[in-house]
Amino acid sequence: MSGHSQFALLRQRRFLPFFIVQALGAFNDNVYRQAIIGLLFYLGVSDEQRSLYTTLAPAIFILPYFLFSALAGQIADKLEKSRLIVITTTMEIVIMSLAAIGFITENLPFLLVALFCTGMQSTLFGPVKYSVLPSVLKPEELTGGNGLVEMGTSISILSGMIIGGSVFLLAGSHGPIVAATAVIALAICGNLAARMIPRVDAGDPDLKINWNPLPESLVVLRMARQQKAVRNAILGVSWFWFVGTVLTSQLPNYALVNLGGEPKLYLFALALFSVGTGVGSLLCEKLSARTVEIGLVPLGAFGMTAF
């Protein structure tokens, strides 16, 4: 155990293709979202409109999670997991092709519609993302594997935000074409990586899916309320993403208007936030001694709240 390194998982096919897919997905989502914000600067919209769009964009992206997560969970249970990942990454290619049209035509409402569709695709990918690891990793590898995934996600978010936010600064009048090409190319790379993921059997292939998301969501919430560990896990994850979303959605205007900085200051603040998330994710395995240690969660939640 003393010679174990969680990074050894990155050399194994049971983990590496999945790691690449989820990292590329997070990277592309944030290239896209920040390129929309970059387009706002490029078009020279007012501060009020820019503030509206930068707040609206993450809300539109997250809305499908709220509406369709229970349905996505059922689909993830019913279908073989590597097949479902290929399906979701194929959806991403189609959605990003629509987004490319929005960039080239400089049509902001069209881009927001495509962003909602991206949120739907991410909602479908979410449950299978979190259910693959327990199926392919040993119990003592799970914390390290989760840490790598969270580290990859946070670094992908950071680099995606930096690159997406820099497209229009660096490419100038070619920005819309560069953004359109980038999001399609990244989606295709993710789909190719998804096809290398080994087969992972469905959790419940005989499940009858309830296509009405509202009653299914209520069933899941009631079940979570009855199981304290599940309820607390949901609250912890929700608080983490709530804080992260609020911070990252307000940073562009806050750095520019309140701190009197340039876009570089906003990117530096994002870098601090994302690197901190990545380092904390990697430390989880060391601090928990390679076990699932729930005691780290209150400590992390207190630290987030205090800082």
Side-chain angles (χ1 to χ4, degrees):
M1 185 176 295
S2 59
H4 167 82
S5 170
Q6 64 200 103
F7 293 100
L9 292 171
L10 294 174
R11 298 193 296 269
Q12 301 178 29
R13 191 185 167 202
R14 62 190 172 118
F15 182 81
L16 179 59
F18 168 75
F19 176 84
I20 292 172
V21 169
Q22 63 84 28
L24 281 175
F27 181 70
N28 202 13
D29 285 346
N30 285 277
V31 167
Y32 179 37
R33 287 164 58 185
Q34 292 305 306
I36 293 176
I37 296 174
L39 181 62
L40 295 174
F41 285 95
Y42 174 75
L43 295 177
V45 301
S46 66
D47 288 344
E48 291 77 14
Q49 283 183 299
R50 189 166 61 245
S51 180
L52 173 64
Y53 275 105
T54 54
T55 303
L56 195 59
I60 288 174
F61 180 77
I62 290 171
L63 181 60
Y65 284 88
F66 178 74
L67 297 176
F68 304 116
S69 285
L71 179 59
Q74 294 178 84
I75 295 172
D77 278 338
K78 185 173 181 64
L79 298 183
E80 189 271 317
K81 292 178 174 57
S82 64
R83 177 189 168 202
L84 180 56
I85 293 174
V86 171
I87 290 172
T88 57
T89 52
T90 302
M91 289 172 57
E92 185 178 5
I93 294 174
V94 175
I95 294 167
M96 289 306 171
S97 298
L98 295 175
I101 297 172
F103 279 122
I104 292 172
T105 59
E106 300 178 6
N107 188 323
L108 286 170
F110 193 87
L111 285 169
L112 292 180
V113 171
L115 184 63
F116 179 82
C117 294
T118 301
M120 287 187 64
Q121 180 263 335
S122 297
T123 301
L124 189 60
F125 179 70
V128 71
K129 168 184 173 179
Y130 289 108
S131 64
V132 162
L133 292 184
S135 301
V136 300
L137 298 182
K138 301 172 185 176
E140 65 271 19
E141 295 174 326
L142 195 54
T143 302
N146 267 321
L148 283 173
V149 169
E150 291 303 319
M151 179 273 295
T153 300
S154 64
I155 298 302
S156 295
I157 289 172
L158 166 63
S159 53
M161 285 182 165
I162 292 174
I163 291 176
S166 303
V167 165
F168 288 90
L169 292 175
L170 299 177
S173 60
H174 299 293
I177 294 176
V178 173
T181 304
V183 294
I184 294 176
L186 288 168
I188 292 173
C189 290
N191 184 259
L192 293 175
R195 295 177 187 276
M196 294 187 288
I197 296 176
R199 177 183 174 86
V200 182
D201 291 334
D204 187 3
D206 298 322
L207 177 69
K208 292 184 178 179
I209 296 177
N210 181 0
W211 294 99
N212 187 337
L214 181 58
E216 192 62 30
S217 297
L218 294 175
V219 169
V220 171
L221 288 173
R222 281 197 294 268
M223 182 178 66
R225 190 172 56 194
Q226 293 167 1
Q227 300 184 40
K228 186 177 179 181
V230 175
R231 182 197 66 194
N232 290 345
I234 291 173
L235 290 174
V237 171
S238 299
W239 178 244
F240 173 84
W241 286 110
F242 171 78
V243 171
T245 301
V246 168
L247 284 175
T248 55
S249 66
Q250 297 304 315
L251 271 178
N253 265 353
Y254 190 83
L256 193 65
V257 177
N258 297 90
L259 300 181
E262 299 178 353
K264 291 179 182 178
L265 177 63
Y266 155 55
L267 296 176
F268 177 68
L270 277 179
L272 291 176
F273 181 78
S274 298
V275 170
T277 304
V279 172
S281 298
L282 293 178
L283 283 175
C284 281
E285 185 188 50
K286 185 71 66 177
L287 294 174
S288 66
R290 299 186 68 195
T291 61
V292 180
E293 176 52 70
I294 198 68
L296 292 176
V297 176
L299 180 63
F302 174 78
M304 285 173 57
T305 304
F307 288 115

